[in-house]
């Protein structure tokens, strides 16, 4: 039987290690994706789709109710959305409590925000504003990026670094 002669997977990993690593000689290596990316903390906290759906439902309900109240008070709806997020978050009722859960919801919120902006953007109105708006909008990013690189390169020249490597000033 050809398979009977094969060593177990843990032995295959430990025998492939160089002899300069004696501390690993008798230890099997955990190569699960969570352990490789985040360590033991990420392996312990796995994504939970049911919890994500509950958080989305609670967040949308809370934001909707607060937005309705804010709309009655004739305030901007974005204020209601922000206050609804504070309400369900760890500062308010604590329904959404983990930073991982907040990160998942914030990613979805950003997608919804960009979608709403895309729906309300009127290209014809933008073109009617003229060349000045289009030219200044086109030059805004390169100018701001150049200023940012100049500031951080100046800080690096005086000895204040924010990292290592050739692109640390960017």
């Amino acid at each position: 039987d050809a398979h009977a002669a094969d060593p177990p997977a843990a032995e295959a990993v430990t025998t492939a290690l160089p002899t300069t690593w004696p501390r690993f000689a008798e230890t099997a290596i955990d190569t699960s994706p969570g352990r490789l990316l985040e360590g033991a903390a990420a392996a312990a906290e796995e994504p939970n789709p049911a919890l994500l759906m509950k958080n989305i439902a609670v967040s949308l309900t809370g934001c909707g109710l607060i937005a309705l109240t804010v709309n009655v008070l004739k305030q901007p709806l974005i204020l209601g959305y922000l206050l609804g997020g504070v309400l369900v978050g760890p500062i308010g009722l604590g329904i959404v409590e983990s930073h991982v859960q907040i990160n998942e919801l914030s990613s979805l919120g950003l997608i919804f925000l960009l979608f709403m902006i895309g729906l309300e953007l009127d290209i014809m109105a933008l073109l009617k504003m003229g060349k000045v708006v289009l030219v200044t909008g086109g030059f805004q990013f390169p100018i701001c990026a150049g200023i940012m690189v100049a500031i951080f390169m100046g800080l690096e020249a005086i000895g204040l670094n924010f990292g290592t490597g050739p692109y640390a000033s960017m």
Side-chain angles (χ1 to χ4, degrees), residues 19-94:
T19 57
T20 57
W21 293 353
R23 64 182 180 179
F24 293 121
E26 299 299 322
T27 307
I29 298 174
D30 184 6
T31 58
S32 64
R35 297 286 262 178
L36 292 175
L37 296 176
E38 300 277 335
E45 189 172 339
E46 295 181 11
N48 185 351
L51 182 62
L52 178 63
M53 292 303 291
K54 180 198 82 133
N55 288 339
I56 290 172
V58 168
S59 297
L60 288 177
T61 303
C63 289
L65 292 173
I66 300 294
L68 179 66
T69 306
V70 167
N71 192 27
V72 168
L73 298 173
K74 303 214 186 297
Q75 297 298 316
L77 285 178
I78 190 72
L79 178 64
Y81 299 149
L82 291 173
L83 290 175
V86 170
L87 175 73
V88 299
I91 295 173
L93 299 175

Side-chain angles (χ1 to χ4, degrees), residues 150-161:
I151 288 172
F152 283 108
M153 289 181 83
L155 290 173
E156 185 178 27
I158 63 171
L160 184 62
N161 293 328

